[in-house]
Amino acid sequence: MKALDAEVVVIGAGVVGSAIAKELSGYRLSVLMVEARPDIGDATSKANTAILHTGFDASPGSLESRLVARGYGLLRDYAGRVGIPIEDTGALLVAWDDEQLSVLPKLQAKAKANGYDATQIVDADAVYARVPALGPGALGGLLVPGESIICPWTTNLAYATEAVRAGVQLRRNWPVERIEVNDQVTTVHGPAGDMTCRWVINAAGLGADRIDAMFGYERFAIVPRKGELLVFDKSARALAPVIVLPVPSAKGKGVLISPTIFGNVMLGPTSQNITDRTDTATTVDGIEFLRRKGMSLMPELMMEEVTAMYAGLRASTQHDDFIIEADLAQRYVVAGGIRSTGLTASLAIAEHIVVLLNEAGLRLRARQDLPGPMRMPNLGEGFMRPYRDEQRIAADARYGDIVCFCERVSLGEIHDAFASDIPPVDLDGLRRRTRAVMGRCQGFYCGARVQQLLDQCAEERP
Amino acid sequence: MTARSGDLHVDVAVIGGGPAGLSAATHLRAAGVGDVLIIEREHQAGGIPRHSQHTGYGIRDLHRVLNGPAYAAELVARAEACGARILTGAMATGWSGPLSLDVTSPSGVYRVHARAVIIATGARERPRTARMVAGDRPSGVYTTGQLQNATAIWGQHPGSRAVIVGAELVSWSAVMTLRHHRCHVALMTTQYARAESYAAMTLPGRLLLGVRVATRTQVVQIIGKDRVQAVRITHLDSGKSALVPCDTVVFTGDWIADNELARAHEVAVDPTSSGIIVDAGLRTSAAGVFAIGNVVHPVDTADVAALDGVHVAAQVADYLHHQSWATAPVELQAAGALRWVSPGRIDPSGPAPARSRLLGWGSTVLRTPTITVEQGGICLSRQKLVWPMSPGRAFRMPWSILANVHPSRGPATITVA
């Protein structure tokens, strides 16, 4: 029999698929990861609220609750090891009416049921003491000190990079069209070719239900829920020292105001079910809604310039929980319905899948020959960046050559991104790896030079 | 390359090597100030005119007519000939003291300690995001600055069919750039009832450039996954909307001062103009820190910015000599059709501002505007001007209208109607 292309094919290189590939790369097993889009983390994983959740408000007893709580600690440790920036800002749920105020004790009880005991109910004075820029009318709040902000792009990239370094083969621009399961071999077909494997792991995010259907299932249907967000200039950062969360109520979920790891402030998301899984356009109505919300939540914020607007699609389903199940007969595992908590839960999802595979008799054996530890380039505003690093610039002058003035991204960092294990293929990918062009001028100063660097790199690519 | 990180001590640090900063350095040296350092983050000094191929530069300051790059080169040559030092590729990233700056450059990280600092960081156009225009995020969306930088410095090409947002003075500069690159301008949109700039208000101007201007119209949505395919425009009065096919969108004008360094130092900024608040001597709210050019008044022409540089030189030299710093006593406020005014503070007994002009920005077109100055409820002067107000360009007012302002009767209000 012809050798297999890989023992396991992971479909989807978002934060969940990449975490799974990384986890599997620690075992004696060949792994292939395919991604339909031109880059890893280029769909749901790139456009979320970038919060490391404690899981205090998950449904107690659910798989999501367990994996978010477990993933929180795993990702914290991992982030420290590889240099993913995290800031411990804490969160404050703010109640704006009596109904919301009455929900706070219930939320506190729910947090306890989820194993999180550190919440604290505070009065209006304490709310304004923590976030003086809040608009008038706050009645009280619930402090959740463990909620943190994290770089979602570096997390995804770190997983995928570690996987690739450990030998996982990554194929970008590789959409899956058809899957054929035979006794011993599964063949995955796409416009870019075929690949054979023993196991398939479905981490296809917005496309997870379609892959699931290729195995004959109708377990869930993805209903993409669009969330539009506004990102404000860094001069707004002092207005939002903590994550300001809405209290879920009968009137809907509300929007949050969060500092970002890049030093900005984010307002959103909206929440709208849509049908087109590629529709990531912001809308006139969505922006108007956020503008109105912002004016009441934090009027001062609305005086600042908006430096980015984007829409993310949550891969929600008709079910409330994550759907992670193994099908021994077809040698198939699905990780579907992973919503915004997927970033926090990612490593726990991967760990959970290893357990499922072992139970299914795959008998994974740990590798002894893994490459040494790696460090990711830091994109966090609160940590040392190359433009301030005297020694780094002394060793290589390119780190002192600032290309993107607003975000202070140096030529050295851009070259590093092009020379990395998973180089960017377009401006958006470069932005996620370096922060170039994501600042307040949106390319007024550096857009042309960055484009030049991209074109140059594309020419040099084999 | 060996690192030369460390501390640098200078008399005056000028942040920004555009027309304002270069002129300031030249005239500071001419006034006998010893060590003047320009910190310029681009690889070449000269500022925005470097990207602007068309003519019309240098009229008021050099009394010559030059194109943008020639004008920029001339200002650089003059500063260097006067003995000003220009550190290019060097960006002031923050403050390490009241008059100390953190600077990053390929040759190292410096702390520049100055006896006086001049902020001359200019202004930029509001990009699409800051205007909150909805839609996809394709390529082909520019500001004039990016477009001209891309075409003039980096030899890149725009598309073939463009929509220009705005009909300000700079918008016509974008038209000329696109035309030069054989990109057809399908439409220009302005939210105003008339095109803002004079060129568009005159029949010869319109005929010469042959561009259709849609007034009271806003671009509300950008369509296209990879490359722009169309924009949706809406008429502000009728609410009617239409799709305009295009592959290029240029957001023009709607200027924001590059005020980040000022704000990081808690230097007072006018929330309406985003410009740094100065007095007639171009002093900011922070002792020893001056501000000039379009970071003060976003925006006026390059030569007017350069003349700020001339004006500030004497003020800085005087400050270095006497070391005294007083806050001008009277706050100036803008009202009526006047959105903002600079200087924002004045001393009625002090010297006049550059060119004895006040600069402001209008919110509407007025053919013969009337300026009223009030203080403490009393009307101090009323004057009809013979030049128009137009929202797409700086509105200049004579300093003499403030002749009767009293130093201790509170803020003075300038109303234009």
Side-chain angles (χ1 to χ4, degrees):
Chain A
M1 195 184 79
K2 188 173 149 275
L4 296 172
D5 292 312
E7 265 162 287
V8 179
V9 166
V10 178
I11 300 174
V15 77
V16 173
S18 298
I20 295 167
K22 175 193 93 68
E23 188 70 19
L24 293 179
S25 71
Y27 298 94
R28 289 160 71 175
L29 174 85
S30 61
V31 180
L32 232 158
M33 176 160 63
V34 296
E35 168 56 51
R37 296 193 51 89
D39 198 6
I40 65 155
D42 195 25
T44 295
S45 297
K46 78 176 173 190
N48 52 48
T49 47
I51 296 172
L52 185 61
H53 291 289
T54 56
F56 76 96
D57 61 345
S59 296
S62 65
L63 182 61
E64 181 180 11
S65 162
R66 181 158 68 82
L67 295 182
V68 170
R70 169 82 181 147
Y72 178 88
L74 289 175
L75 181 47
R76 258 181 186 285
D77 289 349
Y78 182 73
R81 278 205 306 282
V82 306
I84 299 166
I86 290 178
E87 277 184 55
D88 297 316
T89 56
L92 177 60
L93 283 86
V94 179
W96 298 93
D97 58 33
D98 289 333
E99 188 209 336
Q100 292 177 359
L101 204 57
S102 71
V103 171
L104 297 181
K106 293 172 200 159
L107 276 171
Q108 190 168 44
K110 195 177 192 183
K112 282 209 175 94
N114 280 314
Y116 188 74
D117 294 333
T119 65
Q120 191 191 335
I121 292 176
V122 295
D123 63 12
D125 288 347
V127 167
Y128 284 106
R130 276 174 199 266
V131 192
L134 279 180
L139 302 178
L142 180 72
L143 279 174
V144 191
E147 297 281 296
S148 308
I149 56 175
I150 185 167
C151 180
W153 302 332
T154 307
T155 305
N156 200 150
L157 187 63
Y159 295 161
T161 301
E162 194 175 326
V164 167
R165 284 193 180 183
V168 171
Q169 300 176 69
L170 170 66
R171 303 265 192 278
R172 291 183 277 183
N173 273 317
W174 215 103
V176 171
E177 281 180 339
R178 194 163 56 85
I179 293 170
E180 215 179 312
V181 183
N182 291 319
D183 267 1
Q184 298 291 316
V185 178
T186 299
T187 310
V188 181
H189 301 273
D194 305 335
M195 53 182 65
T196 52
C197 60
R198 189 108 40 223
W199 280 80
V200 169
I201 298 175
N202 172 6
L206 289 164
D209 57 344
R210 290 182 181 164
I211 301 294
D212 207 40
M214 293 176 197
F215 286 90
Y217 284 103
E218 286 179 27
R219 280 181 276 202
F220 62 96
I222 299 284
V223 184
R225 183 141 29 97
K226 188 190 275 190
E228 297 178 46
L229 290 137
L230 300 178
V231 179
F232 291 83
D233 189 59
K234 293 181 172 49
S235 45
R237 178 63 167 78
L239 299 175
V242 306
I243 306 163
V244 178
L245 293 174
V247 177
S249 75
K251 285 185 198 132
K253 241 193 128 190
V255 303
L256 61 83
I257 291 175
S258 175
T260 76
I261 202 78
F262 315 116
N264 301 77
V265 176
M266 175 189 281
L267 168 71
T270 59
S271 184
Q272 184 200 3
N273 286 345
I274 58 169
T275 49
D276 179 357
R277 297 176 189 210
T278 65
D279 175 13
T280 53
T282 51
T283 64
V284 174
D285 291 347
I287 290 170
E288 186 48 38
F289 169 80
L290 291 178
R291 211 201 281 253
R292 271 202 315 275
K293 275 281 184 192
M295 279 310 294
S296 70
L297 282 174
M298 193 178 277
E300 237 182 296
L301 179 62
M302 306 314 282
M303 304 279 291
E304 300 289 342
E305 302 288 328
V306 171
T307 59
M309 306 181 303
Y310 61 87
L313 302 183
R314 314 169 182 86
S316 53
T317 69
Q318 68 270 44
H319 306 294
D320 283 336
D321 207 353
F322 293 171
I323 300 156
I324 303 176
E325 289 163 16
D327 172 343
L328 184 54
Q330 296 194 84
R331 302 175 308 278
Y332 165 61
V333 179
V334 61
I338 315 285
R339 289 169 295 252
S340 58
T341 49
L343 172 63
T344 305
S346 50
L347 288 175
I349 293 170
E351 194 185 66
H352 181 62
I353 284 175
V354 166
V355 171
L356 292 182
L357 290 174
N358 270 320
E359 283 171 5
L362 206 63
R363 284 199 303 277
L364 295 170
R365 284 169 300 158
R367 274 171 63 178
Q368 306 302 322
D369 59 340
L370 283 169
M374 61 169 204
R375 286 298 283 185
M376 297 302 290
N378 167 48
L379 302 188
E381 192 65 7
F383 304 85
M384 182 58 120
R385 307 244 342 263
Y387 81 87
R388 290 194 293 143
D389 190 337
E390 289 183 29
Q391 289 177 350
R392 194 128 179 224
I393 295 170
D396 186 340
R398 292 178 307 172
Y399 293 107
D401 183 352
I402 301 181
V403 174
C404 169
F405 302 131
C406 302
E407 298 294 319
R408 285 114 190 238
V409 182
S410 66
L411 184 63
E413 291 161 277
I414 291 175
H415 277 286
D416 287 348
F418 288 136
S420 67
D421 294 281
I422 308 172
V425 290
D426 54 19
L427 184 59
D428 216 30
L430 183 66
R431 179 170 21 218
R432 289 197 296 276
R433 285 162 178 82
T434 63
R435 286 172 48 174
V437 199
M438 67 175 253
R440 56 178 71 94
C441 94
Q442 288 289 299
F444 181 93
Y445 294 111
C446 75
R449 187 176 178 201
V450 170
Q451 189 60 48
Q452 199 69 20
L453 290 166
L454 265 169
D455 294 346
Q456 199 181 320
C457 177
E459 274 169 32
E460 287 164 9
R461 205 175 295 135
Chain B
M1 190 186 296
T2 51
R4 293 185 282 112
S5 299
D7 295 85
L8 280 179
H9 293 268
V10 298
D11 290 313
V12 182
V14 182
I15 309 168
L22 289 164
S23 302
T26 301
H27 288 85
L28 279 166
R29 288 287 302 149
V33 173
D35 203 354
V36 180
L37 178 71
I38 296 175
I39 301 161
E40 167 55 51
R41 61 191 189 177
E42 305 258 7
H43 286 180
Q44 269 189 333
I48 297 288
R50 288 185 311 129
H51 314 153
S52 197
Q53 299 286 355
H54 58 76
T55 188
Y57 286 91
I59 298 169
R60 293 185 189 82
D61 59 332
L62 304 182
H63 309 293
R64 293 159 65 179
V65 186
L66 299 168
N67 69 21
Y71 175 67
E74 177 64 27
L75 292 182
V76 171
R78 288 184 183 212
E80 283 174 338
C82 278
R85 277 196 291 160
I86 308 177
L87 195 61
T88 54
M91 180 173 174
T93 59
W95 302 78
S96 48
L99 293 172
S100 299
L101 293 152
D102 296 321
V103 175
T104 292
S105 79
S107 63
V109 179
Y110 302 90
R111 272 161 304 275
V112 175
H113 308 283
R115 295 171 59 214
V117 172
I118 301 175
I119 303 177
T121 44
R124 62 178 188 271
E125 295 162 291
R126 218 169 235 117
R128 178 252 180 116
T129 53
R131 303 181 200 217
M132 293 199 237
V133 176
D136 298 310
R137 300 204 292 168
S139 65
V141 179
Y142 295 91
T143 49
T144 315
Q146 185 183 357
L147 174 75
Q148 294 185 337
N149 193 348
T151 53
I153 308 288
W154 298 98
Q156 295 162 13
H157 288 278
S160 58
R161 189 179 155 89
V163 168
I164 294 183
V165 180
E168 300 187 14
L169 213 49
V170 65
S171 319
W172 297 95
S173 177
V175 170
M176 286 190 267
T177 301
L178 291 170
R179 179 153 301 186
H180 182 76
H181 289 274
R182 297 174 198 283
C183 177
H184 172 66
V185 178
L187 188 70
M188 213 165 177
T189 67
T190 169
Q191 56 177 311
Y192 295 105
R194 289 201 191 107
E196 296 97 297
S197 86
Y198 301 152
M201 294 195 302
T202 63
L203 190 61
R206 272 196 299 254
L207 287 178
L208 190 67
L209 294 160
V211 174
R212 191 160 78 86
V213 181
T215 55
R216 297 289 296 152
T217 299
Q218 219 170 357
V219 169
V220 295
Q221 188 190 0
I222 291 175
I223 298 154
K225 280 275 184 289
D226 296 322
R227 179 80 194 188
V228 177
Q229 289 171 344
V231 294
R232 180 174 297 283
I233 57 171
T234 300
H235 194 267
L236 289 168
D237 301 320
S238 70
K240 282 188 184 149
S241 88
L243 282 183
V244 183
C246 59
D247 59 12
T248 302
V249 188
V250 188
F251 287 90
T252 66
D254 197 358
W255 298 90
I256 322 174
D258 246 319
N259 60 23
E260 288 70 35
L261 267 185
R263 290 187 67 180
H265 205 39
E266 294 184 357
V267 171
V269 166
D270 181 329
T272 308
S273 72
S274 73
I276 296 174
I277 297 172
V278 294
D279 65 12
L282 296 162
R283 279 173 280 264
T284 71
S285 62
V289 180
F290 296 78
I292 57 175
N294 286 335
V295 73
V296 172
H297 41 76
V299 300
D300 207 332
T301 52
D303 52 3
V304 169
L307 289 172
D308 273 0
V310 179
H311 184 68
V312 83
Q315 307 292 328
V316 173
D318 186 64
Y319 167 71
L320 292 178
H321 186 67
H322 294 107
Q323 289 290 312
S324 68
W325 192 269
T327 304
V330 180
E331 183 193 339
L332 282 189
Q333 295 173 339
L338 188 66
R339 290 189 55 224
W340 52 262
V341 60
S342 181
R345 300 196 76 91
I346 60 156
D347 177 357
S349 59
R355 305 177 67 231
S356 291
R357 293 277 195 280
L358 300 165
L359 293 178
W361 203 263
S363 57
T364 184
V365 175
L366 295 171
R367 296 274 172 185
T368 51
T370 301
I371 307 181
T372 312
V373 179
E374 286 171 298
Q375 190 181 28
I378 298 161
C379 175
L380 301 182
S381 76
R382 176 164 304 183
Q383 190 177 336
K384 206 174 194 78
L385 294 186
V386 294
W387 59 85
M389 168 186 264
S390 170
R393 60 185 302 167
F395 177 62
R396 302 174 183 134
M397 293 162 281
W399 171 244
S400 58
I401 61 169
L402 300 177
N404 298 325
V405 170
H406 193 277
S408 57
R409 288 191 190 138
T413 304
I414 303 176
T415 308
V416 179

